[in-house]
Amino acid sequence: MAVINEGGWGNPPPFSFSGSCIVAGNAWCLHEDLAAARKILGDVPVIAVNGASREVKAIALYSCHPHRFVEIGSEWIRHQRRLFGEGFTVHSSNKPKHGELPYVEYWWWIPGGGGSAWGARKVAKLMGFDTVVLCGCPLLPGNYTGYRPGMLMTQPEIVGQYAAEIASDTDWHKGAYSMSGKTREILSSPC
């Protein structure tokens, strides 16, 4: 595992966290999952994945689709600023594929698939968090939070593929939990 940032491959990030955090996905169950997780964990830091940037205040935004951070119709960075203010960093992976994007502050090298939420789980671990709880990441076909059409995430073969990738990515299971759905079956609940 290594991090890539402005300094190059293998440089450690200029921050180190510990304890627990929440990875907030963009599924219809996000707010229910968040409420249940906060009853267990308290008010812990959140990493918002993709469209969850318009739903929850985060210390970090993460996506495997970094062009959508600023793409018209997504604008995840703008939503986070407008709704919750500053104080977050922007993260992605696979810089060789996406090229130089000036709004991505930290590029991470993380192996495997599982979608953006699973990528955010890995980034959370690399940032130093010991326990990571997925909220709004059930990997069951359905819409996004706020009744937004789920697009790819309504397709059983897509969510099934991501779930299979997470199930087989056992090196990252320790310390990872989920509040709902297929990911909860794979990782178990934090309580």
Side-chain angles (χ1 to χ4, degrees), residues 80-141:
Q80 182 69 197
R81 276 196 187 111
R82 180 177 55 83
L83 296 169
F84 304 106
E86 298 292 334
F88 62 92
T89 53
V90 179
H91 304 253
S92 192
S93 53
N94 200 350
K95 186 176 182 179
K97 175 183 176 185
H98 298 292
E100 188 66 40
L101 300 174
Y103 47 86
V104 175
E105 297 169 83
Y106 299 98
W107 289 98
W108 298 86
W109 180 84
I110 50 175
S116 288
W118 192 240
R121 178 275 174 273
K122 294 174 182 182
V123 166
K125 176 67 175 170
L126 294 170
M127 291 170 76
F129 291 107
D130 305 307
T131 302
V132 180
V133 178
L134 304 180
C135 294
C137 310
L139 285 184
L140 297 173

Side-chain angles (χ1 to χ4, degrees), residues 22-31 33-34 47-49 52 114-121 132-140 153 159 162-163 166 177-187:
I22 289 171
V23 165
N26 196 28
W28 75 93
C29 58
L30 172 61
H31 294 290
D33 285 0
L34 279 172
I47 297 173
V49 176
S116 288
W118 192 240
R121 178 275 174 273
V132 180
V133 178
L134 304 180
C135 294
C137 310
L139 285 184
L140 297 173
M153 300 310 283
V159 294
Y162 287 159
I166 292 171
Y177 303 93
S178 177
M179 296 306 295
S180 61
K182 188 68 174 173
T183 53
R184 182 177 173 161
E185 290 175 24
I186 295 166
L187 302 169

Side-chain angles (χ1 to χ4, degrees), residues 146-170:
Y147 304 101
R148 290 176 184 84
M151 301 160 77
L152 283 178
M153 300 310 283
T154 62
Q155 299 176 28
E157 63 277 4
I158 299 292
V159 294
Q161 175 187 332
Y162 287 159
E165 290 169 355
I166 292 171
S168 67
D169 201 4
T170 57

